[in-house]
Short mmCIF file of all heavy atoms in Angstrom, two decimals:
data_model
loop_
_atom_site.label_atom_id
_atom_site.label_comp_id
_atom_site.label_asym_id
_atom_site.label_seq_id
_atom_site.Cartn_x
_atom_site.Cartn_y
_atom_site.Cartn_z
N THR T 607 81.84 38.01 -39.96
CA THR T 607 82.42 37.61 -41.24
C THR T 607 83.62 36.71 -41.05
O THR T 607 83.77 35.68 -41.71
CB THR T 607 82.80 38.86 -42.05
OG1 THR T 607 81.63 39.65 -42.27
CG2 THR T 607 83.41 38.48 -43.39
N LEU T 608 84.51 37.05 -40.11
CA LEU T 608 85.65 36.21 -39.83
C LEU T 608 85.22 34.84 -39.30
O LEU T 608 85.81 33.81 -39.64
CB LEU T 608 86.58 36.90 -38.83
CG LEU T 608 87.37 38.09 -39.38
CD1 LEU T 608 87.99 38.90 -38.25
CD2 LEU T 608 88.46 37.62 -40.35
N ASN T 609 84.17 34.83 -38.48
CA ASN T 609 83.65 33.55 -37.99
C ASN T 609 83.19 32.67 -39.15
O ASN T 609 83.43 31.45 -39.16
CB ASN T 609 82.48 33.79 -37.04
CG ASN T 609 82.87 34.48 -35.76
OD1 ASN T 609 84.06 34.60 -35.44
ND2 ASN T 609 81.90 34.97 -35.03
N GLU T 610 82.52 33.28 -40.12
CA GLU T 610 82.04 32.54 -41.28
C GLU T 610 83.21 32.02 -42.11
O GLU T 610 83.19 30.86 -42.56
CB GLU T 610 81.14 33.43 -42.13
CG GLU T 610 80.76 32.89 -43.49
CD GLU T 610 79.86 31.66 -43.46
OE1 GLU T 610 79.46 31.23 -42.35
OE2 GLU T 610 79.57 31.11 -44.53
N LEU T 611 84.22 32.83 -42.31
CA LEU T 611 85.37 32.39 -43.09
C LEU T 611 86.11 31.25 -42.39
O LEU T 611 86.57 30.30 -43.05
CB LEU T 611 86.31 33.57 -43.35
CG LEU T 611 85.72 34.75 -44.13
CD1 LEU T 611 86.79 35.80 -44.40
CD2 LEU T 611 85.07 34.30 -45.43
N ALA T 612 86.22 31.34 -41.07
CA ALA T 612 86.88 30.27 -40.32
C ALA T 612 86.14 28.94 -40.49
O ALA T 612 86.78 27.87 -40.57
CB ALA T 612 86.96 30.64 -38.85
N ARG T 613 84.85 28.99 -40.56
CA ARG T 613 84.03 27.78 -40.74
C ARG T 613 84.42 27.02 -42.00
O ARG T 613 84.34 25.79 -42.06
CB ARG T 613 82.55 28.18 -40.78
CG ARG T 613 81.60 27.05 -41.03
CD ARG T 613 80.17 27.55 -41.17
NE ARG T 613 79.93 28.25 -42.43
CZ ARG T 613 79.74 27.64 -43.61
NH1 ARG T 613 79.79 26.32 -43.69
NH2 ARG T 613 79.51 28.36 -44.69
N LEU T 614 84.85 27.73 -43.01
CA LEU T 614 85.09 27.14 -44.33
C LEU T 614 86.44 26.44 -44.44
O LEU T 614 86.64 25.63 -45.35
CB LEU T 614 85.01 28.23 -45.40
CG LEU T 614 83.73 29.06 -45.42
CD1 LEU T 614 83.86 30.18 -46.44
CD2 LEU T 614 82.52 28.18 -45.73
N VAL T 615 87.37 26.78 -43.53
CA VAL T 615 88.75 26.30 -43.64
C VAL T 615 88.93 25.04 -42.80
O VAL T 615 88.47 24.96 -41.66
CB VAL T 615 89.74 27.39 -43.18
CG1 VAL T 615 91.18 26.92 -43.33
CG2 VAL T 615 89.52 28.67 -43.97
N LYS T 616 89.63 24.06 -43.37
CA LYS T 616 89.92 22.83 -42.63
C LYS T 616 90.80 23.13 -41.42
O LYS T 616 91.63 24.06 -41.47
CB LYS T 616 90.62 21.83 -43.54
CG LYS T 616 89.79 21.32 -44.69
CD LYS T 616 90.61 20.41 -45.59
CE LYS T 616 89.79 19.94 -46.79
NZ LYS T 616 90.61 19.10 -47.71
N PRO T 617 90.66 22.40 -40.33
CA PRO T 617 91.58 22.58 -39.20
C PRO T 617 93.03 22.49 -39.66
O PRO T 617 93.41 21.59 -40.41
CB PRO T 617 91.21 21.42 -38.27
CG PRO T 617 89.76 21.16 -38.56
CD PRO T 617 89.62 21.39 -40.05
N GLY T 618 93.82 23.46 -39.23
CA GLY T 618 95.21 23.54 -39.64
C GLY T 618 95.43 24.30 -40.93
O GLY T 618 96.59 24.61 -41.30
N GLY T 619 94.35 24.65 -41.65
CA GLY T 619 94.48 25.38 -42.90
C GLY T 619 94.90 26.81 -42.69
O GLY T 619 94.63 27.42 -41.65
N VAL T 620 95.54 27.39 -43.69
CA VAL T 620 96.10 28.73 -43.58
C VAL T 620 95.15 29.75 -44.19
O VAL T 620 94.44 29.46 -45.16
CB VAL T 620 97.49 28.80 -44.25
CG1 VAL T 620 97.40 28.57 -45.75
CG2 VAL T 620 98.19 30.12 -43.97
N ILE T 621 95.14 30.95 -43.63
CA ILE T 621 94.35 32.07 -44.14
C ILE T 621 95.26 33.28 -44.20
O ILE T 621 96.13 33.46 -43.33
CB ILE T 621 93.11 32.34 -43.26
CG1 ILE T 621 92.32 33.54 -43.79
CG2 ILE T 621 93.49 32.53 -41.81
CD1 ILE T 621 90.99 33.76 -43.06
N ALA T 622 95.08 34.12 -45.22
CA ALA T 622 95.86 35.35 -45.33
C ALA T 622 94.98 36.43 -45.93
O ALA T 622 94.06 36.15 -46.70
CB ALA T 622 97.10 35.13 -46.20
N SER T 623 95.25 37.69 -45.56
CA SER T 623 94.41 38.79 -46.02
C SER T 623 95.25 40.02 -46.33
O SER T 623 96.38 40.16 -45.86
CB SER T 623 93.36 39.15 -44.96
OG SER T 623 93.96 39.84 -43.87
N LEU T 624 94.65 40.91 -47.10
CA LEU T 624 95.24 42.20 -47.45
C LEU T 624 94.18 43.27 -47.27
O LEU T 624 93.05 43.12 -47.74
CB LEU T 624 95.72 42.18 -48.90
CG LEU T 624 96.05 43.52 -49.56
CD1 LEU T 624 97.16 44.24 -48.83
CD2 LEU T 624 96.41 43.33 -51.04
N GLU T 625 94.55 44.33 -46.56
CA GLU T 625 93.66 45.48 -46.37
C GLU T 625 94.49 46.76 -46.47
O GLU T 625 95.71 46.75 -46.25
CB GLU T 625 92.99 45.44 -44.99
CG GLU T 625 92.15 44.22 -44.70
CD GLU T 625 90.77 44.24 -45.34
OE1 GLU T 625 90.43 45.28 -45.94
OE2 GLU T 625 90.05 43.23 -45.23
N PHE T 626 93.84 47.88 -46.78
CA PHE T 626 94.47 49.18 -46.60
C PHE T 626 94.62 49.47 -45.12
O PHE T 626 93.92 48.91 -44.28
CB PHE T 626 93.63 50.28 -47.25
CG PHE T 626 93.68 50.28 -48.75
CD1 PHE T 626 92.54 50.01 -49.50
CD2 PHE T 626 94.85 50.58 -49.43
CE1 PHE T 626 92.57 50.01 -50.89
CE2 PHE T 626 94.90 50.58 -50.82
CZ PHE T 626 93.76 50.31 -51.55
N LEU T 627 95.54 50.37 -44.78
CA LEU T 627 95.82 50.73 -43.39
C LEU T 627 96.21 52.19 -43.31
O LEU T 627 96.41 52.85 -44.34
CB LEU T 627 96.94 49.83 -42.85
CG LEU T 627 97.31 49.96 -41.36
CD1 LEU T 627 96.12 49.63 -40.46
CD2 LEU T 627 98.48 49.03 -41.04
N LEU T 628 96.28 52.69 -42.08
CA LEU T 628 96.74 54.06 -41.81
C LEU T 628 98.18 54.02 -41.32
O LEU T 628 98.51 53.22 -40.44
CB LEU T 628 95.89 54.68 -40.70
CG LEU T 628 94.41 54.89 -40.95
CD1 LEU T 628 93.69 55.10 -39.62
CD2 LEU T 628 94.20 56.08 -41.83
N PRO T 629 99.07 54.87 -41.84
CA PRO T 629 100.43 54.94 -41.28
C PRO T 629 100.39 55.31 -39.80
O PRO T 629 99.57 56.13 -39.36
CB PRO T 629 101.09 56.06 -42.10
CG PRO T 629 100.31 56.10 -43.37
CD PRO T 629 98.90 55.77 -42.99
N LYS T 630 101.30 54.70 -39.03
CA LYS T 630 101.38 55.01 -37.59
C LYS T 630 102.01 56.37 -37.35
O LYS T 630 101.58 57.14 -36.49
CB LYS T 630 102.20 53.94 -36.88
CG LYS T 630 101.42 52.75 -36.37
CD LYS T 630 102.34 51.88 -35.54
CE LYS T 630 101.55 50.82 -34.80
NZ LYS T 630 102.43 49.99 -33.92
N SER T 631 103.08 56.68 -38.08
CA SER T 631 103.83 57.91 -37.90
C SER T 631 102.97 59.13 -38.23
O SER T 631 102.28 59.15 -39.25
CB SER T 631 105.06 57.89 -38.80
OG SER T 631 105.54 59.19 -39.08
N ARG T 632 103.01 60.14 -37.37
CA ARG T 632 102.26 61.37 -37.64
C ARG T 632 102.71 62.02 -38.94
O ARG T 632 101.90 62.55 -39.70
CB ARG T 632 102.42 62.36 -36.48
CG ARG T 632 101.70 61.96 -35.21
CD ARG T 632 101.81 63.06 -34.18
NE ARG T 632 101.10 62.72 -32.96
CZ ARG T 632 101.02 63.51 -31.90
NH1 ARG T 632 101.61 64.72 -31.92
NH2 ARG T 632 100.36 63.13 -30.82
N PHE T 633 104.02 61.95 -39.20
CA PHE T 633 104.56 62.56 -40.41
C PHE T 633 103.96 61.89 -41.64
O PHE T 633 103.42 62.56 -42.53
CB PHE T 633 106.08 62.43 -40.42
CG PHE T 633 106.72 62.92 -41.70
CD1 PHE T 633 106.94 64.28 -41.89
CD2 PHE T 633 107.10 62.03 -42.69
CE1 PHE T 633 107.52 64.74 -43.08
CE2 PHE T 633 107.69 62.48 -43.87
CZ PHE T 633 107.89 63.84 -44.06
N TRP T 634 104.03 60.55 -41.71
CA TRP T 634 103.53 59.86 -42.88
C TRP T 634 102.00 59.87 -42.94
O TRP T 634 101.41 59.86 -44.02
CB TRP T 634 104.06 58.42 -42.93
CG TRP T 634 105.52 58.39 -43.22
CD1 TRP T 634 106.52 57.93 -42.41
CD2 TRP T 634 106.16 58.85 -44.42
NE1 TRP T 634 107.75 58.09 -43.02
CE2 TRP T 634 107.56 58.64 -44.25
CE3 TRP T 634 105.71 59.42 -45.61
CZ2 TRP T 634 108.49 58.98 -45.23
CZ3 TRP T 634 106.63 59.75 -46.59
CH2 TRP T 634 108.00 59.54 -46.40
N ARG T 635 101.36 59.91 -41.77
CA ARG T 635 99.90 59.98 -41.79
C ARG T 635 99.43 61.31 -42.36
O ARG T 635 98.41 61.37 -43.05
CB ARG T 635 99.31 59.78 -40.39
CG ARG T 635 97.80 59.65 -40.43
CD ARG T 635 97.19 59.26 -39.10
NE ARG T 635 97.56 57.90 -38.72
CZ ARG T 635 96.92 57.20 -37.80
NH1 ARG T 635 95.87 57.73 -37.17
NH2 ARG T 635 97.30 55.98 -37.49
N PHE T 636 100.18 62.39 -42.07
CA PHE T 636 99.84 63.69 -42.66
C PHE T 636 99.87 63.59 -44.18
O PHE T 636 98.94 64.04 -44.86
CB PHE T 636 100.83 64.77 -42.19
CG PHE T 636 100.72 66.07 -42.91
CD1 PHE T 636 99.75 67.00 -42.57
CD2 PHE T 636 101.59 66.38 -43.96
CE1 PHE T 636 99.64 68.21 -43.25
CE2 PHE T 636 101.49 67.59 -44.65
CZ PHE T 636 100.51 68.50 -44.29
N TRP T 637 100.91 63.03 -44.77
CA TRP T 637 101.00 62.91 -46.21
C TRP T 637 99.97 61.92 -46.76
O TRP T 637 99.42 62.14 -47.85
CB TRP T 637 102.41 62.50 -46.63
CG TRP T 637 103.40 63.61 -46.39
CD1 TRP T 637 104.33 63.69 -45.41
CD2 TRP T 637 103.49 64.82 -47.14
NE1 TRP T 637 105.02 64.88 -45.49
CE2 TRP T 637 104.54 65.60 -46.55
CE3 TRP T 637 102.82 65.34 -48.25
CZ2 TRP T 637 104.90 66.84 -47.04
CZ3 TRP T 637 103.19 66.59 -48.74
CH2 TRP T 637 104.22 67.32 -48.13
N TRP T 638 99.72 60.86 -46.00
CA TRP T 638 98.68 59.91 -46.40
C TRP T 638 97.32 60.61 -46.46
O TRP T 638 96.54 60.41 -47.39
CB TRP T 638 98.64 58.75 -45.41
CG TRP T 638 97.55 57.74 -45.66
CD1 TRP T 638 97.63 56.62 -46.43
CD2 TRP T 638 96.21 57.76 -45.13
NE1 TRP T 638 96.43 55.94 -46.41
CE2 TRP T 638 95.55 56.63 -45.64
CE3 TRP T 638 95.51 58.63 -44.29
CZ2 TRP T 638 94.22 56.33 -45.32
CZ3 TRP T 638 94.18 58.34 -43.98
CH2 TRP T 638 93.56 57.20 -44.50
N TRP T 639 97.03 61.45 -45.46
CA TRP T 639 95.75 62.17 -45.42
C TRP T 639 95.62 63.05 -46.66
O TRP T 639 94.59 63.08 -47.33
CB TRP T 639 95.66 63.01 -44.15
CG TRP T 639 94.29 63.53 -43.86
CD1 TRP T 639 93.37 63.01 -43.02
CD2 TRP T 639 93.70 64.72 -44.42
NE1 TRP T 639 92.23 63.77 -43.01
CE2 TRP T 639 92.40 64.82 -43.86
CE3 TRP T 639 94.12 65.69 -45.32
CZ2 TRP T 639 91.53 65.88 -44.18
CZ3 TRP T 639 93.26 66.73 -45.65
CH2 TRP T 639 91.99 66.81 -45.08
N GLY T 640 96.68 63.80 -46.98
CA GLY T 640 96.63 64.66 -48.16
C GLY T 640 96.45 63.87 -49.44
O GLY T 640 95.68 64.27 -50.33
N TYR T 641 97.14 62.72 -49.54
CA TYR T 641 97.03 61.90 -50.74
C TYR T 641 95.60 61.37 -50.90
O TYR T 641 95.02 61.44 -51.99
CB TYR T 641 98.02 60.74 -50.66
CG TYR T 641 97.95 59.81 -51.86
CD1 TYR T 641 98.51 60.18 -53.07
CD2 TYR T 641 97.32 58.57 -51.77
CE1 TYR T 641 98.45 59.34 -54.18
CE2 TYR T 641 97.25 57.73 -52.86
CZ TYR T 641 97.82 58.12 -54.06
OH TYR T 641 97.74 57.28 -55.16
N THR T 642 95.03 60.83 -49.83
CA THR T 642 93.71 60.21 -49.94
C THR T 642 92.59 61.24 -50.08
O THR T 642 91.57 60.95 -50.70
CB THR T 642 93.42 59.30 -48.74
OG1 THR T 642 93.51 60.07 -47.52
CG2 THR T 642 94.40 58.15 -48.67
N ARG T 643 92.75 62.43 -49.49
CA ARG T 643 91.67 63.42 -49.54
C ARG T 643 91.73 64.33 -50.76
O ARG T 643 90.71 64.85 -51.19
CB ARG T 643 91.69 64.29 -48.28
CG ARG T 643 90.82 63.80 -47.15
CD ARG T 643 91.14 62.40 -46.69
NE ARG T 643 90.42 62.07 -45.45
CZ ARG T 643 90.69 61.04 -44.69
NH1 ARG T 643 91.66 60.20 -45.02
NH2 ARG T 643 89.98 60.79 -43.60
N VAL T 644 92.93 64.51 -51.33
CA VAL T 644 93.07 65.46 -52.43
C VAL T 644 93.51 64.78 -53.72
O VAL T 644 92.83 64.85 -54.75
CB VAL T 644 94.08 66.57 -52.06
CG1 VAL T 644 94.24 67.54 -53.21
CG2 VAL T 644 93.64 67.30 -50.79
N MET T 645 94.64 64.07 -53.66
CA MET T 645 95.20 63.52 -54.89
C MET T 645 94.39 62.35 -55.46
O MET T 645 94.24 62.23 -56.67
CB MET T 645 96.65 63.11 -54.65
CG MET T 645 97.58 64.28 -54.35
SD MET T 645 99.29 63.75 -54.10
CE MET T 645 99.69 63.16 -55.74
N LEU T 646 93.88 61.50 -54.56
CA LEU T 646 93.12 60.35 -55.06
C LEU T 646 91.86 60.76 -55.81
O LEU T 646 91.63 60.29 -56.93
CB LEU T 646 92.75 59.42 -53.90
CG LEU T 646 93.73 58.32 -53.56
CD1 LEU T 646 93.16 57.43 -52.48
CD2 LEU T 646 94.09 57.49 -54.78
N PRO T 647 91.01 61.62 -55.23
CA PRO T 647 89.83 62.03 -56.01
C PRO T 647 90.20 62.72 -57.32
O PRO T 647 89.59 62.44 -58.37
CB PRO T 647 89.10 62.99 -55.06
CG PRO T 647 89.56 62.60 -53.69
CD PRO T 647 90.98 62.16 -53.86
N ALA T 648 91.20 63.61 -57.27
CA ALA T 648 91.60 64.31 -58.49
C ALA T 648 92.17 63.35 -59.52
O ALA T 648 91.82 63.39 -60.71
CB ALA T 648 92.62 65.39 -58.16
N GLY T 649 93.06 62.46 -59.08
CA GLY T 649 93.63 61.49 -60.00
C GLY T 649 92.59 60.54 -60.55
O GLY T 649 92.64 60.16 -61.73
N GLY T 650 91.63 60.15 -59.70
CA GLY T 650 90.56 59.29 -60.17
C GLY T 650 89.74 59.95 -61.26
O GLY T 650 89.41 59.33 -62.27
N TRP T 651 89.42 61.21 -61.05
CA TRP T 651 88.63 61.94 -62.07
C TRP T 651 89.39 62.05 -63.38
O TRP T 651 88.82 61.81 -64.46
CB TRP T 651 88.28 63.33 -61.54
CG TRP T 651 87.46 64.11 -62.52
CD1 TRP T 651 87.89 64.98 -63.47
CD2 TRP T 651 86.03 64.06 -62.66
NE1 TRP T 651 86.83 65.48 -64.20
CE2 TRP T 651 85.67 64.93 -63.71
CE3 TRP T 651 85.03 63.36 -61.98
CZ2 TRP T 651 84.36 65.11 -64.10
CZ3 TRP T 651 83.72 63.54 -62.37
CH2 TRP T 651 83.39 64.41 -63.42
N LEU T 652 90.67 62.35 -63.31
CA LEU T 652 91.45 62.54 -64.52
C LEU T 652 91.68 61.23 -65.28
O LEU T 652 91.74 61.22 -66.51
CB LEU T 652 92.81 63.17 -64.18
CG LEU T 652 92.76 64.62 -63.70
CD1 LEU T 652 94.13 65.05 -63.20
CD2 LEU T 652 92.27 65.54 -64.82
N THR T 653 91.79 60.12 -64.57
CA THR T 653 92.13 58.86 -65.22
C THR T 653 90.93 57.97 -65.49
O THR T 653 91.01 57.08 -66.33
CB THR T 653 93.14 58.06 -64.36
OG1 THR T 653 92.60 57.88 -63.05
CG2 THR T 653 94.46 58.79 -64.29
N GLY T 654 89.80 58.20 -64.79
CA GLY T 654 88.67 57.29 -64.97
C GLY T 654 87.30 57.92 -64.89
O GLY T 654 86.30 57.20 -64.93
N GLY T 655 87.23 59.25 -64.74
CA GLY T 655 85.94 59.89 -64.73
C GLY T 655 85.22 59.78 -63.40
O GLY T 655 85.84 59.55 -62.35
N LYS T 656 83.91 59.92 -63.43
CA LYS T 656 83.11 60.04 -62.20
C LYS T 656 83.22 58.82 -61.31
O LYS T 656 83.30 58.94 -60.08
CB LYS T 656 81.64 60.29 -62.56
CG LYS T 656 80.77 60.50 -61.34
CD LYS T 656 79.33 60.79 -61.71
CE LYS T 656 78.48 60.96 -60.45
NZ LYS T 656 77.05 61.20 -60.78
N ALA T 657 83.20 57.61 -61.90
CA ALA T 657 83.22 56.39 -61.09
C ALA T 657 84.50 56.34 -60.25
O ALA T 657 84.47 56.04 -59.05
CB ALA T 657 83.11 55.16 -61.97
N TRP T 658 85.64 56.62 -60.86
CA TRP T 658 86.90 56.62 -60.12
C TRP T 658 86.96 57.77 -59.13
O TRP T 658 87.53 57.64 -58.06
CB TRP T 658 88.07 56.72 -61.10
CG TRP T 658 88.39 55.43 -61.77
CD1 TRP T 658 87.56 54.39 -62.04
CD2 TRP T 658 89.67 55.04 -62.27
NE1 TRP T 658 88.22 53.39 -62.70
CE2 TRP T 658 89.52 53.76 -62.86
CE3 TRP T 658 90.91 55.65 -62.32
CZ2 TRP T 658 90.57 53.08 -63.46
CZ3 TRP T 658 91.97 54.98 -62.92
CH2 TRP T 658 91.80 53.71 -63.48
N PHE T 659 86.40 58.91 -59.48
CA PHE T 659 86.36 60.03 -58.55
C PHE T 659 85.61 59.65 -57.28
O PHE T 659 86.05 59.95 -56.16
CB PHE T 659 85.68 61.24 -59.20
CG PHE T 659 85.40 62.37 -58.26
CD1 PHE T 659 86.41 63.23 -57.84
CD2 PHE T 659 84.11 62.56 -57.75
CE1 PHE T 659 86.14 64.27 -56.96
CE2 PHE T 659 83.84 63.60 -56.87
CZ PHE T 659 84.86 64.45 -56.47
N GLU T 660 84.47 58.96 -57.44
CA GLU T 660 83.68 58.58 -56.28
C GLU T 660 84.45 57.61 -55.38
O GLU T 660 84.42 57.73 -54.15
CB GLU T 660 82.36 57.93 -56.73
CG GLU T 660 81.40 58.89 -57.41
CD GLU T 660 80.91 60.00 -56.49
OE1 GLU T 660 80.97 59.83 -55.25
OE2 GLU T 660 80.49 61.05 -57.00
N VAL T 661 85.15 56.65 -55.97
CA VAL T 661 85.94 55.72 -55.17
C VAL T 661 87.09 56.46 -54.49
O VAL T 661 87.36 56.25 -53.30
CB VAL T 661 86.48 54.57 -56.04
CG1 VAL T 661 87.44 53.69 -55.25
CG2 VAL T 661 85.33 53.72 -56.56
N GLY T 662 87.78 57.33 -55.23
CA GLY T 662 88.87 58.09 -54.64
C GLY T 662 88.42 58.97 -53.49
O GLY T 662 89.10 59.06 -52.47
N ARG T 663 87.27 59.59 -53.64
CA ARG T 663 86.74 60.45 -52.58
C ARG T 663 86.31 59.65 -51.36
O ARG T 663 86.41 60.11 -50.22
CB ARG T 663 85.55 61.25 -53.13
CG ARG T 663 85.01 62.26 -52.14
CD ARG T 663 83.92 63.11 -52.77
NE ARG T 663 82.74 62.33 -53.13
CZ ARG T 663 81.60 62.86 -53.54
NH1 ARG T 663 81.48 64.18 -53.67
NH2 ARG T 663 80.57 62.10 -53.84
N PHE T 664 85.85 58.43 -51.59
CA PHE T 664 85.32 57.59 -50.52
C PHE T 664 86.42 56.94 -49.69
O PHE T 664 86.28 56.76 -48.47
CB PHE T 664 84.44 56.50 -51.16
CG PHE T 664 84.21 55.29 -50.33
CD1 PHE T 664 83.23 55.27 -49.34
CD2 PHE T 664 84.96 54.14 -50.52
CE1 PHE T 664 83.02 54.14 -48.57
CE2 PHE T 664 84.75 53.01 -49.77
CZ PHE T 664 83.78 53.01 -48.79
N LEU T 665 87.53 56.58 -50.33
CA LEU T 665 88.47 55.65 -49.72
C LEU T 665 89.09 56.16 -48.43
O LEU T 665 89.06 55.48 -47.40
CB LEU T 665 89.58 55.29 -50.71
CG LEU T 665 90.53 54.20 -50.23
CD1 LEU T 665 89.83 52.86 -50.17
CD2 LEU T 665 91.76 54.12 -51.11
N GLY T 666 89.71 57.35 -48.43
CA GLY T 666 90.41 57.84 -47.25
C GLY T 666 89.51 57.94 -46.03
O GLY T 666 89.84 57.38 -44.97
N PRO T 667 88.36 58.64 -46.11
CA PRO T 667 87.48 58.71 -44.94
C PRO T 667 87.00 57.34 -44.49
O PRO T 667 86.84 57.08 -43.28
CB PRO T 667 86.31 59.57 -45.45
CG PRO T 667 86.92 60.42 -46.51
CD PRO T 667 87.93 59.54 -47.19
N ASN T 668 86.78 56.42 -45.44
CA ASN T 668 86.31 55.08 -45.07
C ASN T 668 87.38 54.32 -44.30
O ASN T 668 87.07 53.65 -43.29
CB ASN T 668 85.93 54.32 -46.34
CG ASN T 668 85.52 52.89 -46.05
OD1 ASN T 668 86.30 51.97 -46.26
ND2 ASN T 668 84.30 52.70 -45.57
N ILE T 669 88.64 54.40 -44.74
CA ILE T 669 89.72 53.72 -44.01
C ILE T 669 89.86 54.30 -42.61
O ILE T 669 89.97 53.57 -41.62
CB ILE T 669 91.04 53.85 -44.79
CG1 ILE T 669 90.95 53.11 -46.13
CG2 ILE T 669 92.20 53.31 -43.96
CD1 ILE T 669 92.12 53.38 -47.05
#
Side-chain angles (χ1 to χ4, degrees):
T607 300
L608 288 166
N609 294 347
E610 169 67 3
L611 300 184
R613 177 185 72 78
L614 305 174
V615 182
K616 295 176 182 177
V620 65
I621 178 173
S623 74
L624 165 61
E625 302 281 355
F626 287 115
L627 185 60
L628 297 163
K630 271 187 169 183
S631 157
R632 289 186 179 181
F633 175 80
W634 291 116
R635 188 172 293 198
F636 170 81
W637 290 106
W638 176 91
W639 193 97
Y641 178 76
T642 58
R643 267 58 171 193
V644 179
M645 294 181 66
L646 270 185
W651 181 267
L652 291 172
T653 56
K656 183 178 179 182
W658 282 27
F659 171 77
E660 292 296 339
V661 173
R663 185 175 65 171
F664 159 82
L665 186 69
N668 176 259
I669 295 170

